[in-house]
Amino acid sequence: MKFIRFTDLCQQGEVAGKRVFIRADLNVPLNDAGEITEDTRIRASLPAIEQALNAGAAVMVTSHLGRPTEGGEAGPNESLAPVAQRLAELLGRPVPLRTQWVDGVQVQPGEVVLLENTRLNPGEKKNTPELAQKLAALTDIFVHDAFGTAHRAEASTYGIAEYAPIASAGPLLAAEIDAISQALSQPRRPLVAIVAGSKVSTKLTILRSLADKVDELIVGGGIANTFMLAADLPIGKSIVETSLVDEAKAIIALMQERGAQVPIPVDVVVAKTFAADAPATVKAATEVADDDLILDIGPQTAAKLAAQLQSAGTIVWNGPVGVFEFAAFENGTRTIAQAIASSPAFSIAGGGDTLAAIAKYGIEADIGYISTGGGAFLEVLEGKVLPAFEILEKRHAA
């Protein structure tokens, strides 16, 4: 896909003295006191802001935060004030917060201002032309750098890109596009996807889409239970979606027709109750009792999958394969995580639980690309064209 890169504009000297509007993803968690508890998204937004400042632009940055009421005032934990303070600390310069900014913003070249929660503006979520045109009038160059919102066509993510003189992708969004293209559009083979979660239904379209693309589809968590049932294996009282067993069988058959596979666990770790202190027992997949809960893949299955990951060319990872939050049931996820980290394959990972597992096992530096968007990442895996990608490609071609 072709799009204008903000980094290129900076390097070409096209940004100096220009008004630059950056749509970042600064939707960070706040505690009851309104304090930021985790600032990864703020730190991830810094390269675009610093590029713009270093190029001599007048910089405006905005984001959504929480779920405010359009047209109202920012409620508790809905104002970007704490974000402005943290940005100022990280940038080492003042970052004033501007409210009521839609009709005009005063900012000079070499300065940066943070514009209050964009979802307070009437028409933001519905992407009304009136608001989109007002936002576009504020800027000479629009920079979309919020992959976490790339699946939403809102005024500050899509509409402004339609009307702004120049619409570009910031370094964070560009990196996401490049990584996704490398993983799904032009992958090194074999292409292995790991899709895990509690329910097949929530990731059914992802599984269908990937079944047409990947060489191996590893399923985990509750999803694996449904596939085990489809393979006529006992699952005891484990979470399962019996209504989707036929769908699981169809996906297995589709993969087999292509010479690909869905590995079914040969052993599992079970317990009688869902609890951190529940005694864990390793059983062959054929020997699960009626009162057993499957809470992880077994060591034999984990070792087999880990060996297969070593020969992969590309790995796409979404979801832990067991209840990795409980020590007794984390071996499968830990083994898979470490195998991905040590594999020579290009790896891309996304999703909240996946990121938590990556952090738990300290393998951030060994993953090829860690996606910053949850819903957006899943929609890409489903084969959808994200609105942000669509409009940036359209503006590039114009």
Side-chain angles (χ1 to χ4, degrees):
M1 127 177 218
K2 295 183 179 179
F3 54 93
I4 298 171
R5 296 173 185 264
F6 183 62
T7 299
D8 292 344
L9 295 177
C10 292
Q11 292 174 346
Q12 293 160 6
E14 298 182 27
V15 178
K18 299 292 180 64
R19 298 170 301 157
V20 171
F21 186 110
I22 300 174
R23 176 52 161 98
D25 183 3
L26 306 172
N27 187 31
V28 292
L30 304 174
N31 60 23
D32 292 341
E35 300 164 331
I36 297 169
T37 58
E38 208 282 321
D39 69 350
T40 298
R41 287 177 173 170
I42 297 176
R43 288 183 281 108
S45 73
L46 295 179
I49 298 170
E50 290 173 334
Q51 281 183 0
L53 289 170
N54 292 338
V59 186
M60 297 162 277
V61 184
T62 195
S63 173
H64 70 287
L65 180 65
R67 300 175 183 274
T69 301
E70 288 189 5
E73 298 293 327
N77 290 359
E78 292 174 349
S79 172
L80 289 173
V83 176
Q85 181 179 344
R86 183 61 179 142
L87 269 176
E89 293 169 355
L90 292 169
L91 291 170
R93 64 168 68 216
V95 181
L97 179 68
R98 301 287 172 81
T99 59
Q100 306 299 322
W101 51 268
V102 170
D103 293 317
V105 179
Q106 293 296 318
V107 56
Q108 299 301 313
E111 295 179 348
V112 56
V113 296
L114 185 63
L115 310 179
E116 183 61 286
N117 196 330
T118 187
R119 287 195 181 160
L120 291 169
N121 299 319
E124 165 67 14
K125 295 193 73 172
K126 291 185 178 180
N127 186 25
T128 63
E130 294 80 9
L131 178 59
Q133 289 169 13
K134 282 188 173 185
L135 300 186
L138 298 174
T139 187
D140 300 307
I141 301 172
F142 169 64
V143 182
H144 195 321
D145 208 36
F147 179 68
T149 67
H151 59 312
R152 298 190 179 102
E154 299 180 348
S156 69
T157 62
Y158 189 97
I160 185 175
E162 289 185 283
Y163 300 108
I166 297 174
S168 65
L172 184 62
L173 184 65
E176 293 273 3
I177 295 173
D178 291 343
I180 288 167
S181 296
Q182 182 176 346
L184 296 178
S185 301
Q186 301 169 322
R188 285 202 325 250
R189 299 283 179 173
L191 169 57
V192 180
I194 302 165
V195 180
S198 59
K199 295 182 178 180
V200 173
S201 55
T202 59
K203 296 185 178 178
L204 182 58
T205 51
I206 297 172
L207 294 168
R208 286 173 177 163
S209 178
L210 290 175
D212 284 328
K213 300 181 178 75
V214 303
D215 302 300
E216 189 168 318
L217 181 59
I218 297 172
V219 292
I223 293 174
N225 299 337
T226 302
F227 277 80
M228 288 178 66
L229 200 58
D232 297 321
L233 289 168
I235 60 167
K237 58 180 182 179
S238 308
I239 183 172
V240 69
E241 291 177 285
T242 53
S243 63
L244 291 175
V245 167
D246 287 343
E247 186 67 42
K249 289 181 178 179
I251 290 171
I252 292 172
L254 176 61
M255 293 283 288
Q256 289 175 338
E257 288 171 8
R258 296 177 45 245
Q261 60 175 325
V262 181
I264 303 299
V266 295
D267 62 341
V268 293
V269 183
V270 302
K272 300 303 182 184
T273 60
F274 185 86
D277 59 354
T281 304
V282 177
K283 289 188 175 183
T286 55
E287 296 177 359
V288 176
D290 290 344
D291 62 344
D292 280 337
L293 279 171
I294 300 173
L295 299 181
D296 193 13
I297 57 174
Q300 186 179 344
T301 300
K304 179 182 177 183
L305 295 176
Q308 290 171 332
L309 290 170
Q310 293 305 307
S311 61
T314 305
I315 301 170
V316 178
W317 180 22
N318 176 248
V321 295
V323 187
F324 76 103
E325 298 90 345
F326 297 166
F329 309 103
E330 71 167 331
N331 180 67
T333 299
R334 182 179 62 239
T335 300
I336 294 295
Q338 292 172 344
I340 294 171
S342 63
S343 173
F346 171 74
S347 54
I348 179 171
D353 288 341
T354 311
L355 302 191
I358 289 171
K360 181 174 183 178
Y361 302 120
I363 59 170
E364 293 94 334
D366 299 311
I367 302 297
Y369 192 82
I370 299 174
S371 176
T372 58
F377 183 71
L378 293 180
E379 291 199 12
V380 169
L381 295 189
E382 288 178 33
K384 294 181 179 179
V385 177
L386 303 189
F389 294 9
E390 175 214 334
I391 188 60
L392 289 175
E393 190 167 32
K394 186 183 297 183
R395 288 303 310 274
H396 177 272

